[in-house]
Amino acid sequence: MSDTLYVETQGCQMNEHDTERLADLLVTEAGMRRVDDPESADVLLLNTCSVREKAQEKVFSRLGRWRRYKEQRPDVVIGVGGCVASQEGAAILERAPYVDLVFGPQTLHRLPQLVAAVRAGAGAQVDIEFPEIEKFDHLPAPRALGPTAYVSVMEGCSKYCAFCVVPYTRGEEISRPLADVVAEVETLAVQGVREITLLGQNVNAYAGRLRDGSSADLGLLIEAVAQVGGIDRIRFTTSHPVEFHDGLIEAYREVPELADFLHLPVQSGSDAILERMKRGHRAAEYEALVAEIRKARPSLALASDFIVGFPGESEGDFSQTLALIERVGFDAGAFSFAYSRRPGTPAAELSDEVPDAVKRQRLYQLQVVIGQQQMAAAQRLLGSSQRILVEGPSRRDPREFSGRTSCNRVVNFAGDDSLVGSFAEVRITETRAHSLRGEVVACERPRARPGSATQGVQIAVTDG
């Protein structure tokens, strides 16, 4: 009988994508069967993230719960992967000796061999190397789970922001060849995927090799993906302002498949704090860049990241952040955090710690301003018709269906299963705290996929 597999994911979209790929690998190569209940699994894997506060403690808390499964069934294999695994390595085994394997984000493709070694009695396995782009050559063909899909185009980050652990846990920036990325997108398109999100820790630093030995930037990659039959919408995340090149701005001007959405972290509006963070740009440079992008795509919705309470942040520094938010306008929201130290990062050595109460107050102030901008943007959508990719049943009400606008707003509406995987024109009728409501007025069939004669056709939806 084959082993059963349970995988739990912490953290970002990259981790979620990695989880699906490693699960596919173990199902395909090791014959495992995935289950939803950890208590019934023979192999339990925790794919970890070290970005959030107290990440290590959350990992060991989860492992402590899993320990009893191993006490009841000693043959159970417990593994830890992802960024905490990369950061802690063999130290995980010292604190949790019942763990059988530790693997990094770049070595998840070796999991079948690592599990086999544990099963063969070779003892605990630790593999947290950075073998460049090797893993993509050893993963099974991607499998679509719906009309949207993630595709990793690069790994790692070479920016070394003072607060961030990613360069230490995922290594330097390495890009996949353009032809490999496009081939993966083509495989997904044949399976019915309509929207692709290109993933990377610093995705707009993409420099994929071309067959002639030169390299392609992210703008060129977006153009190539847009040519794949069946792919009608493209997103990418996450970006760094320093490497937002002209080719990517041009893609916003020339590629209609590129969504009206951009997540572009700024972190602070204070030049002094940006310098301490080692961000490599000033606030005015960020604003000028946003103006150029919006000139190319006036309908763009902008999201960002902010850290408040970074060491040395004064009231004046924080006021500059609020002023930047007011000037720029983040109508698509922001991920905002109170600063907390990350072991191994340069910022962990900085003094001038801002009191926790001050951090909380500043975070609240910032989130109120961002929330007001988000709500105002939602109100502007009332009565408009939005092109929605219907992804499936709504999370809150399975009798309804859900999808996203080009500007990344979740919309819920009445419909049926026949809409899933199609683009629908939805009239927005109501705004809510975290979503919109609407009614379908028309839908369209997919445009031609490879080997298909189907053309994009508008179909009116009538009342009855």
Side-chain angles (χ1 to χ4, degrees):
M1 183 179 293
S2 62
D3 280 337
T4 52
L5 169 69
Y6 175 82
V7 190
E8 184 171 312
T9 311
Q10 299 174 344
C12 64
Q13 290 171 318
M14 183 70 81
N15 267 21
E16 293 173 2
H17 178 65
D18 281 350
T19 288
E20 295 306 320
R21 300 311 305 276
L22 73 84
D24 282 348
L25 177 71
L26 290 170
V27 169
T28 302
E29 290 197 10
M32 295 187 188
R33 179 171 55 85
R34 199 168 176 182
V35 296
D36 296 326
D37 177 19
E39 195 165 3
S40 65
D42 302 308
V43 177
L44 297 104
L45 302 179
L46 182 61
N47 194 11
T48 65
C49 175
S50 57
V51 171
R52 301 296 171 87
E53 187 176 8
K54 299 180 180 177
Q56 285 86 346
E57 296 309 312
K58 292 177 183 177
V59 169
F60 287 107
S61 173
R62 175 61 69 207
L63 292 176
R65 296 182 186 180
W66 287 2
R67 181 178 186 173
R68 62 185 178 90
Y69 303 146
K70 187 149 189 138
E71 291 172 346
Q72 296 165 359
R73 295 182 293 133
D75 288 341
V76 166
V77 173
I78 297 177
V80 181
C83 291
V84 172
S86 182
Q87 195 171 22
E88 298 293 313
I92 290 175
L93 304 181
E94 296 174 9
R95 184 167 170 183
Y98 49 88
V99 170
D100 299 291
L101 57 94
V102 178
F103 60 97
Q106 311 294 52
T107 55
L108 59 86
H109 61 288
R110 299 175 182 171
L111 270 171
Q113 293 75 34
L114 295 173
V115 173
V118 172
R119 288 278 191 237
Q125 303 291 303
V126 178
D127 189 347
I128 54 172
E129 294 180 354
F130 294 123
E132 296 197 351
I133 215 73
E134 174 190 308
K135 81 175 184 183
F136 294 105
D137 296 328
H138 293 80
L139 292 172
R143 180 172 54 89
L145 300 175
T148 66
Y150 295 120
V151 173
S152 291
V153 305
M154 64 175 295
E155 288 275 352
C157 183
S158 302
K159 295 298 168 287
Y160 290 92
C161 297
F163 53 81
C164 186
V165 300
V166 167
Y168 310 101
T169 59
R170 285 187 178 262
E172 295 276 317
E173 295 163 358
I174 300 173
S175 299
R176 297 176 66 190
L178 182 141
D180 290 2
V181 175
V182 172
E184 183 170 332
V185 172
E186 289 173 340
T187 298
L188 290 164
V190 169
Q191 299 176 58
V193 168
R194 307 292 306 281
E195 176 182 299
I196 292 290
T197 299
L198 306 174
L199 289 178
Q201 272 78 31
N202 182 23
V203 71
N204 57 320
Y206 175 79
R209 190 179 70 253
L210 296 171
R211 290 192 174 95
D212 64 4
S214 62
S215 63
D217 64 11
L218 183 62
L220 184 58
L221 176 61
I222 287 169
E223 291 180 25
V225 171
Q227 296 304 309
V228 175
I231 300 302
D232 286 325
R233 185 173 285 168
I234 302 167
R235 304 184 190 273
F236 62 90
T237 195
T238 296
S239 294
H240 192 292
V242 168
E243 288 187 288
F244 211 100
H245 301 305
D246 291 344
L248 186 50
I249 297 175
E250 189 65 18
Y252 273 109
R253 182 177 291 111
E254 299 294 339
V255 182
E257 291 84 1
L258 183 56
D260 293 342
F261 175 78
L262 172 62
H263 179 214
L264 188 63
V266 63
Q267 306 299 356
S268 175
S270 162
D271 287 341
I273 296 301
L274 289 171
E275 185 173 354
R276 295 198 98 191
M277 289 179 168
K278 301 184 186 295
R279 289 289 290 169
H281 64 84
R282 300 172 73 82
E285 292 169 333
Y286 180 89
E287 291 185 59
L289 173 60
V290 169
E292 281 296 308
I293 302 167
R294 282 177 166 159
K295 183 178 178 181
R297 182 68 68 87
S299 55
L300 184 85
L302 182 66
S304 194
D305 290 354
F306 291 92
I307 295 173
V308 302
F310 192 78
E313 183 187 66
S314 67
E315 283 296 333
D317 293 321
F318 178 64
S319 294
Q320 290 176 48
T321 296
L322 293 180
L324 179 140
I325 292 170
E326 294 285 2
R327 291 193 304 270
V328 173
F330 296 94
D331 45 6
F335 295 101
S336 52
F337 310 95
Y339 173 76
S340 61
R341 295 175 185 270
R342 296 293 181 270
T345 62
E349 306 302 319
L350 295 176
S351 56
D352 301 327
E353 188 74 20
V354 177
D356 286 344
V358 175
K359 291 180 187 177
R360 290 193 295 271
Q361 178 59 30
R362 291 177 184 172
L363 183 62
Y364 173 76
Q365 286 180 256
L366 184 148
Q367 290 176 340
V368 166
V369 175
I370 293 286
Q372 290 170 343
Q373 292 184 344
Q374 272 189 287
M375 184 56 67
Q379 291 293 327
R380 290 194 293 270
L381 293 175
L382 271 176
S384 70
S385 181
Q386 298 291 318
R387 189 167 183 254
I388 310 296
L389 175 58
V390 185
E391 298 178 18
S394 170
R395 291 183 179 179
R396 293 193 173 184
D397 186 349
R399 297 169 299 179
E400 294 195 328
F401 288 78
S402 179
R404 290 179 183 269
T405 66
S406 181
C407 62
N408 210 39
R409 295 269 183 171
V410 174
V411 184
N412 296 302
F413 44 86
D416 57 59
D417 288 334
S418 68
L419 293 175
V420 176
S422 297
F423 280 91
E425 292 296 325
V426 178
R427 184 186 301 113
I428 305 303
T429 59
E430 184 181 348
T431 63
R432 295 184 176 180
H434 302 291
S435 64
L436 305 171
R437 282 198 54 78
E439 55 186 19
V440 176
V441 295
C443 67
E444 63 183 75
R445 295 181 183 137
R447 65 186 170 110
R449 297 195 188 103
S452 170
T454 305
Q455 301 296 318
V457 179
Q458 288 285 343
I459 306 170
V461 176
T462 59
D463 296 331

